[in-house]
């Protein structure tokens, strides 16, 4: 786990100095080591949290001849098997680190190297082979080379970038004199970066690092602000800073520094809806080409025989798929046919037991891989099914593994008792952190300050990460992702209902629909009251105001409430985050409701709230959090199963429970589900009341230009009067604090 950053198209001394300034802001992400690559107008930097190969894993890391350099944030879990494949192809390794695998994989497969990686990652590859060739030809005055950037399939690790026009001499003088050098003409380029050179490009693991560069204008993004108010976090691929974008999950970005070729823009290599089928099909078509390539490498048809693995175009996980082609009860299952094991057979009747066994194997394999580390490792443990499942499987691999729970004096919120029993049953080394409202108040400012982007969530992760680090751990496992993959949220039940309501509403005349919506919003109904009734009313009145009915279930403020907060008279156009969500909705159009919600959760709430917050809050304590439920072979397998295998008799996460039924304690399985949250309702009316009131009574200057201050304070009054939940004023408070810190 690390923090990485880079800069290109700056003058030769400026790029290195700029990257060092940026790297200094990420010491918390990597207190153990730092490293730099300076190559003319391009520079890379990193801070390292040493997890694997403590002595040999220094970055940047290179291939044999130094023509390819890599900085990595994350972990590659299949690095050992991938290293063996690359060694069989003639590559030589100097370290035992997972990061070195990327340099050789890119040398071997280029941009397709991402298809071979399993793990959580955001990395940058500097390929100097073009630049070296030009220097040899005596044309060093024209820079060449390729910067290749990639983010993991589900967006577990963050990756932010900024592309701006090269500044004039006057702008540089203004900065040197402490003035604001940015004008409309110096603004950011669109998401498609435009031709390089002529554009300065920065990337980093944190938005705050980009701001610290001094290159990025501190401007509030009105588009991103709208998505924040709608959902309580900024939706991909935007950030709250104008011109700073997130490289979307499952995307790469390739930049040629000579400015030739296609306009650089993010390119997808995976999405959850297709489940990797497109990529597997593509790789199945490659063996003939691969064989030809290998034959040429080793002297043609009459040359030396190829070494094992050189002609293989088998996907990374295919051996596991082949080994488990049949179901455990002897019935035909997926892949159990006379055809190639790489061609999945249709879903066979009576194969539920196979699905259960396969889920258990995939999750067990994922936990086993996620336990690879050269430092102590633990598990975040609540009373829920997901974290209990991880503790059960991890304790079978590591005796006495550490587990952690946050406890509260308010018994109705505390999960400590069940977690304590679970830890005893599995023989873990267990710790509890008791957190009161007064203690929360004392440390709330530092917790909010750890957010890299504002969010309604994440404070709980800040404190449990602190507890794990105090115990000397560098790595923990989290059950995050289990609800999205196996159906633990109410959104799996509500979304089909919302879709039916939207379909009915679309048949009602607009004037009548608006009148009915107003009545529902103000008075509620037998279906819902308060905030829930307002969301239903918004859906009924205008389902097209969000890209899919699911997003009404996830909404914080309704579209009309957001319009009031922002003084909008009409819906804005050309919103990148809207396009991202709409694209996800389109990808799910032919899926069953269960799998569709999984995909929509992954594309929105999971990546834009849970994963982002987990990264920033854990790394604030130099702690690496791993998420075994988001191992992509498991996600692909479960997402493509029919809904009836994942839901039955109203049992939450029925498939997961069945797969681990002999391991999960009955009190965990049968308890009422509750989220891992703090007692905010009491705290906002008690020890935090004065601070929230003061914060919302006077918005920051940057936010005051965009948000109606009276409307924002009215949300707080509505909460105090019992007319809305704590989450709405809290979201506004966090937003205001973040803007004051980073944009004012």
């Amino acid at each position: 786990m690390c923090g990485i950053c880079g800069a290109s198209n700056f003058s030769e001394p400026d790029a290195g100095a700029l990257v060092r300034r940026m790297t200094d802001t990420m010491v918390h992400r990597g207190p153990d080591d730092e490293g730099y690559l300076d190559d003319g107008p391009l520079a890379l930097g990193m801070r390292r949290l040493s997890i694997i190969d403590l002595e040999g894993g220094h970055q940047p890391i290179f291939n044999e001849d130094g023509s390819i350099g890599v900085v990595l944030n994350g972990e590659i879990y299949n690095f050992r098997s991938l290293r063996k494949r690359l060694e069989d192809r003639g590559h030589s390794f100097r370290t035992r680190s997972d990061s070195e695998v990327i340099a050789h994989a890119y040398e071997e497969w280029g941009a397709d190297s991402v298809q071979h990686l399993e793990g959580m990652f955001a990395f940058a590859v500097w390929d100097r082979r073009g630049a070296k060739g030009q220097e040899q030809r005596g044309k060093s005055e024209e820079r060449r080379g390729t910067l290749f950037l990639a983010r993991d399939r589900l967006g577990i690790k963050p990756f932010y970038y900024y592309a701006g026009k090269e500044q004039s001499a006057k702008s540089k003088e203004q900065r040197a004199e402490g003035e604001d050098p940015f004008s409309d003409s110096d603004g950011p380029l669109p998401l498609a970066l435009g031709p390089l050179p002529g554009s300065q490009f920065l990337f980093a693991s944190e938005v705050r690092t980009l701001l610290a560069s001094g290159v990025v204008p501190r401007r509030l993004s009105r588009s991103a602000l709208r998505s924040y108010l709608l959902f309580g976090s900024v939706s991909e691929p935007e950030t709250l800073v104008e011109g700073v974008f997130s490289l979307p999950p499952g995307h790469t970005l390739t930049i040629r520094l000579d400015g030739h070729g296609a306009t650089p823009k993010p390119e997808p290599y995976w999405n959850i809806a297709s489940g990797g089928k497109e990529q597997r099909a593509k790789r199945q078509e490659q063996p003939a080409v691969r064989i030809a390539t290998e034959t040429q490498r080793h002297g043609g048809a009459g040359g030396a025989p190829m070494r094992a693995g050189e002609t293989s175009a088998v996907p990374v996980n295919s051996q596991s798929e082949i080994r488990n082609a049949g179901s455990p009860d002897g019935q035909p299952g997926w892949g159990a046919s006379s055809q190639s094991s790489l061609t999945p057979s249709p879903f066979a009747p009576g194969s539920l037991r196979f699905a259960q066994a396969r889920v258990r194997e995939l999750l067990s394999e994922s936990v086993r891989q996620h336990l690879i580390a050269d430092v102590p490792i633990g598990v975040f443990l609540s009373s829920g099914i997901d974290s209990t499942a991880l503790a059960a499987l991890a304790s079978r691999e590591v005796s006495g593994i550490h587990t952690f729970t946050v406890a509260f004096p308010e018994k109705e919120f505390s999960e400590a008792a069940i977690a304590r029993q679970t830890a005893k049953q599995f023989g873990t080394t267990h710790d509890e952190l008791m957190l009161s409202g007064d203690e929360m108040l004392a440390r709330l400012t530092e917790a909010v300050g750890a957010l890299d982007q504002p969010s309604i969530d994440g404070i709980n992760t800040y404190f449990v990460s602190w507890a794990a680090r105090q115990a000397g751990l560098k790595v923990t496992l989290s059950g995050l992702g289990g609800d999205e993959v196996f159906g633990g949220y109410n959104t799996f039940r509500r979304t089909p209902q919302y879709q039916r309501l939207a379909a009915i509403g679309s048949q009602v005349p607009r004037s009548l629909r608006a009148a009915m919506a107003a009545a529902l919003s103000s008075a509620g109904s037998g279906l819902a009251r308060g905030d829930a009734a307002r969301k239903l009313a918004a859906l009924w009145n205008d389902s097209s105001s969000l890209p899919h009915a699911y997003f009404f279930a996830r909404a914080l403020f309704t579209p009309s409430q957001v319009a009031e907060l922002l003084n909008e008279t009409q819906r804005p156009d050309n919103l990148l985050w809207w396009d991202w969500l709409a694209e996800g909705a389109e990808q799910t159009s032919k899926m069953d409701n269960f799998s569709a919600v999984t995909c929509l959760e992954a594309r929105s709430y999971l990546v834009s709230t849970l994963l982002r917050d987990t990264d920033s809050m854990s790394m604030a304590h130099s702690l690496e959090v791993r998420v075994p439920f988001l191992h992509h072979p498991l996600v692909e397998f479960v997402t493509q199963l029919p809904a009836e295998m994942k839901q039955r008799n109203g049992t939450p996460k029925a498939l997961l429970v069945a797969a681990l039924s002999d391991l999960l304690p009955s009190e965990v399985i049968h308890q009422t589900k509750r989220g891992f949250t703090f007692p905010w309702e009491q705290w906002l009316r008690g020890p935090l009341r004065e601070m929230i009131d003061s914060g919302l009574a006077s918005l920051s200057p940057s936010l005051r230009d965009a948000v109606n201050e009276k409307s924002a304070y009215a949300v707080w009054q509505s909460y105090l009067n019992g007319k809305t939940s704590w989450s709405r004023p809290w979201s506004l408070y966090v937003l205001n604090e973040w803007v004051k810190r980073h944009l004012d």
Side-chain angles (χ1 to χ4, degrees):
M1 187 71 67
C2 302
I4 62 174
C5 61
S8 68
N9 275 339
F10 291 83
S11 61
E12 190 159 336
D14 289 349
L18 178 61
V19 163
R20 282 166 173 77
R21 183 162 69 247
M22 294 166 65
T23 306
D24 287 345
T25 69
M26 297 187 292
V27 174
H28 56 281
R29 298 189 70 92
D32 299 330
D33 192 15
E34 62 183 327
Y36 302 95
L37 184 158
D38 290 303
D39 193 359
L42 179 133
L44 303 178
M46 61 82 60
R47 294 290 318 194
R48 184 182 180 214
L49 181 66
S50 304
I51 303 295
I52 295 174
D53 191 7
L54 306 186
E55 299 299 324
H58 177 78
Q59 296 182 41
I61 201 161
F62 300 88
N63 64 338
E64 295 92 336
D65 64 4
S67 62
I68 295 174
V70 172
V71 289
L72 163 70
N73 172 27
E75 304 289 350
I76 308 301
Y77 298 123
N78 66 329
F79 75 98
R80 290 170 177 166
S81 61
L82 195 53
R83 172 177 175 145
K84 178 63 169 60
R85 292 178 64 195
L86 289 163
E87 286 176 332
D88 288 343
R89 292 172 178 270
H91 294 266
S92 299
F93 287 76
R94 298 187 181 94
T95 74
R96 297 182 297 105
S97 72
D98 57 331
S99 54
E100 188 178 3
V101 166
I102 296 176
H104 296 283
Y106 183 84
E107 182 181 15
E108 182 72 22
W109 296 299
D112 285 342
S113 57
V114 291
Q115 301 290 356
H116 298 265
L117 304 178
E118 296 180 11
M120 55 180 187
F121 54 81
F123 64 80
V125 174
W126 174 225
D127 181 358
R128 294 188 67 251
R129 289 175 293 186
K132 185 175 181 180
Q134 281 219 343
E135 289 166 3
Q136 290 173 342
R137 293 192 298 271
K139 297 181 180 179
S140 58
E141 70 280 358
E142 182 184 349
R143 295 299 303 177
R144 289 187 63 189
T146 300
L147 182 63
F148 178 74
L149 314 170
R151 189 179 181 195
D152 65 69
R153 293 166 179 83
L154 287 151
I156 302 169
K157 303 316 299 174
F159 199 113
Y160 301 105
Y161 66 89
Y162 171 84
K165 298 176 183 178
E166 189 171 7
Q167 291 182 355
S168 63
K170 179 181 177 181
S171 296
K172 294 177 182 178
E173 291 174 3
Q174 287 175 319
R175 177 179 287 115
E177 295 173 2
E179 300 176 23
D180 180 7
F182 301 107
S183 64
D184 291 339
S185 60
D186 268 333
L189 295 179
L191 190 61
L193 304 183
L196 298 173
S199 301
Q200 295 177 331
F201 181 79
L202 302 174
F203 72 85
S205 297
E206 296 190 358
V207 172
R208 293 171 297 185
T209 296
L210 292 175
L211 288 173
S213 70
V215 174
V216 179
R218 294 179 181 267
R219 292 175 177 158
L220 179 69
S221 167
R222 299 295 183 96
S223 172
L225 176 60
R226 180 178 174 84
S227 74
Y228 176 84
L229 294 174
L230 281 167
F231 303 116
S233 64
V234 178
S235 178
E236 295 275 331
E238 299 192 58
T239 74
L240 205 61
V241 182
E242 183 180 304
V244 174
F245 300 104
S246 169
L247 182 63
H251 279 65
T252 63
L253 180 61
T254 303
I255 299 173
R256 290 183 56 183
L257 260 66
D258 60 9
H260 299 307
T263 299
K265 64 180 180 179
E267 297 289 348
Y269 68 89
W270 186 90
N271 72 73
I272 186 174
S274 70
K277 289 184 289 186
E278 297 172 2
Q279 289 73 30
R280 286 196 295 271
K282 180 180 179 181
R283 289 200 295 272
Q284 289 172 39
E285 297 171 358
Q286 291 178 347
V289 177
R290 179 70 52 79
I291 290 171
T293 302
E294 297 295 340
T295 302
Q296 294 167 2
R297 176 184 293 178
H298 296 285
M306 298 176 192
R307 291 171 295 206
E310 286 183 339
T311 63
S312 173
V314 177
V316 173
N317 295 309
S318 62
Q319 296 303 318
S320 177
E321 292 169 1
I322 293 170
R323 185 174 65 252
N324 298 283
S327 64
D329 58 1
Q331 299 297 319
W334 296 280
S337 71
S338 60
Q339 304 174 17
S340 165
S341 60
L342 296 182
T343 305
S345 62
F347 291 132
S351 56
L352 177 59
R353 288 178 60 189
F354 167 70
Q356 295 167 353
R358 186 69 177 128
V359 164
R360 179 157 178 159
E361 183 188 33
L362 285 169
L363 184 56
S364 299
E365 180 182 331
S366 176
V367 169
R368 193 175 303 116
Q369 288 190 341
H370 282 70
L371 288 171
I372 296 173
D374 295 331
V375 295
I377 194 166
V379 180
F380 288 159
L381 181 62
S382 68
S383 65
I385 291 172
D386 302 329
S387 64
T388 302
L390 297 185
L393 294 172
S395 65
R396 294 160 73 93
E397 302 290 333
V398 179
S399 177
I401 193 168
H402 272 79
T403 51
F404 293 86
T405 300
V406 172
F408 307 108
E410 298 85 354
K411 298 293 185 182
E412 66 270 28
F413 290 93
S414 183
E415 303 180 77
I418 294 180
R420 199 179 305 126
Q421 295 173 19
T422 299
K424 183 177 181 180
Q425 177 175 331
F426 297 143
T428 72
T429 302
H430 189 62
D431 290 307
E432 294 178 4
L433 172 67
M434 183 67 70
L435 188 64
S436 69
D438 289 339
E439 291 169 318
M440 175 73 172
L441 177 61
R443 300 188 61 188
L444 182 63
T445 299
E446 70 179 69
V448 172
L451 287 166
D452 187 46
Q453 288 198 71
S455 172
I456 193 176
D457 207 7
I459 303 299
N460 49 0
T461 304
Y462 181 85
F463 286 102
V464 74
S465 297
W466 170 78
R469 204 65 174 98
Q470 290 295 110
L473 296 183
K474 275 187 165 183
V475 182
T476 60
L477 306 188
S478 166
L480 194 156
D483 285 319
E484 289 81 2
V485 175
F486 290 97
Y489 293 134
N490 284 334
T491 49
F492 285 84
R493 174 178 54 83
R494 289 176 180 168
T495 298
Q497 298 172 350
Y498 281 24
Q499 286 178 293
R500 289 193 290 270
L501 183 63
I504 295 171
S506 66
Q507 305 301 315
V508 176
R510 175 172 291 275
S511 58
L512 179 58
R513 196 166 69 231
M516 296 171 64
L520 175 60
S521 179
S522 59
S525 70
L527 295 174
R529 295 189 179 279
D531 295 320
R534 284 185 280 274
K535 290 197 285 188
L536 284 175
L539 172 69
W540 173 263
N541 186 42
D542 185 7
S543 61
S544 67
S545 58
L546 290 175
H548 190 281
Y550 156 85
F551 297 112
F552 287 90
R554 273 289 173 209
L556 179 65
F557 292 101
T558 67
S560 61
Q561 288 174 319
V562 171
E564 182 179 350
L565 283 165
L566 298 179
N567 288 327
E568 290 178 348
T569 57
Q570 61 183 11
R571 189 188 311 168
D573 297 323
N574 301 320
L575 302 173
L576 288 174
W577 62 266
W578 175 284
D579 294 340
W580 168 257
L581 298 181
E583 181 181 75
E586 176 62 27
Q587 290 172 352
T588 66
S589 61
K590 296 182 180 179
M591 306 179 78
D592 64 58
N593 285 325
F594 193 105
S595 296
V597 173
T598 290
C599 296
L600 292 168
E601 291 280 8
R603 201 170 179 91
S604 56
Y605 180 58
L606 178 65
V607 66
S608 296
T609 303
L610 298 181
L611 288 173
R612 184 187 299 156
D613 292 348
T614 296
D615 174 82
S616 64
M617 292 308 209
S618 61
M619 291 309 294
H621 298 290
S622 304
L623 179 75
E624 174 174 293
V625 175
R626 299 178 176 180
V627 283
F629 280 107
L630 296 182
H631 196 45
H632 84 266
L634 174 64
V635 173
E636 289 177 359
F637 178 77
V638 176
T639 302
Q640 294 180 76
L641 291 175
E644 56 267 22
M645 289 191 175
K646 295 179 281 190
Q647 60 183 9
R648 49 183 203 281
N649 301 325
T651 302
K653 293 180 272 198
L655 179 60
L656 178 62
V657 170
L660 302 176
S661 59
D662 60 319
L663 297 180
L664 298 175
S666 60
E667 61 268 22
V668 171
I669 295 174
H670 298 296
Q671 69 172 321
T672 301
K673 178 177 174 57
R674 53 184 172 181
F676 180 39
T677 187
F678 289 169
W680 292 104
E681 187 73 29
Q682 290 91 326
W683 289 353
L684 261 65
R685 294 183 183 277
L688 303 182
R689 179 168 179 165
E690 183 178 346
M691 184 172 62
I692 303 297
D693 188 273
S694 175
L696 294 183
S698 178
L699 299 182
S700 72
S702 295
L703 199 58
R704 197 180 303 131
D705 290 340
V707 174
N708 185 308
E709 196 167 36
K710 291 183 178 179
S711 295
Y713 192 74
V715 173
W716 171 239
Q717 293 296 319
S718 181
Y719 163 72
L720 294 177
N721 293 331
K723 295 180 179 180
T724 193
S725 73
W726 63 269
S727 57
R728 288 157 183 82
W730 174 250
S731 70
L732 294 174
Y733 173 79
V734 172
L735 171 67
N736 191 40
E737 291 300 304
W738 194 93
V739 172
K740 276 196 294 188
R741 286 170 179 264
H742 301 295
L743 299 185
D744 283 349

